[in-house]
Amino acid sequence: MSSEENSDDRPITVGVIDDDPMICQAMRLILEDYSTGRLNVVFTCTDGGQAVDEAGRHHPDVVLMDVAMPGMDGIEATRRLRALPQPPHVLILTSLSPSGTVERAVEAGAEGFVSKTDAPEDIIRRITDVCDGLPQFNPSSQRQLINDLNMQQPQSRRDEARAMLDALPEREREAVVLAADGYTNAEIAERMFISERTVKAHISSTGDRLCMGRVQMARLVERADLPDQL
């Protein structure tokens, strides 16, 4: 539910989910006491499945969602919340950002992160701003997202290179991999039990398919980081 749907005199409604009841209680006090009536916590709970049920009943504007919980975790609960007919904004409530958490949360529909150690004013501002359509990422979650993307890029390039090599005819692929490993045409011919002329034909045909020269194909094989097979 967007802030445009809020009337000027109606507070933003919030649900708080954390497996520690003390955190839920503390967040309720922070949000209601420090917001001077701008926020109203309509439910708290300690379980992801219960959170989905409570959100279906109370239709909060924003949900603060813990990640690590027994049973349904916060990522799956976020995904289910965002699939509701009246989906709330979801901010992940966390003290840690283990690798992959930020990206998985964003893929599930979360619009930002709130640290349990943030100042009350910052937490309240993030809640009100997300209702205005502004993604809310604190510095630690921004760094983690960038790190996750940087880690994925080499893997994505590796998978792309492997797919290109896998699309080649088997014998052409074998010849190109051997060439990239530094074998001469004569050595490739001996290993593959074919003539040097056929080796040249295989490598030339592969170059035409990939629109690459021999050096570029060697770089492609290097990027694919193939397991030892030959």
Side-chain angles (χ1 to χ4, degrees), residues 72-150:
M72 185 187 300
D73 70 8
I75 304 297
E76 178 59 27
T78 295
R79 186 175 291 109
R80 297 194 186 190
L81 287 175
R82 295 298 296 164
L84 291 173
Q86 295 178 260
H89 300 284
V90 179
L91 295 174
I92 299 299
L93 179 64
T94 184
S95 56
L96 299 172
S97 295
S99 179
T101 297
V102 177
E103 185 191 7
R104 289 171 57 231
V106 171
E107 288 176 350
E111 295 170 78
F113 277 65
V114 171
S115 172
K116 296 174 184 178
T117 59
D118 282 345
E121 295 80 5
D122 289 337
I123 298 175
I124 293 165
R125 175 179 52 79
R126 293 190 187 283
I127 291 171
T128 57
D129 283 355
V130 79
C131 287
D132 290 328
L134 302 174
Q136 299 299 306
F137 290 92
N138 56 19
S140 62
S141 62
Q142 287 178 332
R143 286 193 298 271
Q144 186 62 64
L145 183 58
I146 291 170
N147 289 340
D148 289 343
L149 292 174
N150 286 341

Side-chain angles (χ1 to χ4, degrees), residues 13-19 23-24 26-28 30-31 39 41 43-47 51 60-67 69 74 77-78 81 88-94 112-116 118 120 122-124 126-128 130 136:
T13 54
V14 181
V16 178
I17 298 90
D18 194 285
D19 65 343
I23 296 292
C24 291
M27 278 294 159
R28 180 190 288 275
I30 287 171
L31 298 183
L39 304 181
V41 177
F43 73 88
T44 67
C45 60
T46 58
D47 173 84
D61 298 311
V62 180
V63 163
L64 301 184
M65 177 68 72
D66 189 22
V67 174
M69 293 182 290
T78 295
L81 287 175
H89 300 284
V90 179
L91 295 174
I92 299 299
L93 179 64
T94 184
F113 277 65
V114 171
S115 172
K116 296 174 184 178
D118 282 345
D122 289 337
I123 298 175
I124 293 165
R126 293 190 187 283
I127 291 171
T128 57
V130 79
Q136 299 299 306

Side-chain angles (χ1 to χ4, degrees), residues 24-39:
C24 291
Q25 182 179 358
M27 278 294 159
R28 180 190 288 275
L29 291 173
I30 287 171
L31 298 183
E32 294 187 339
D33 289 356
Y34 282 83
S35 71
T36 61
R38 289 174 292 159
L39 304 181

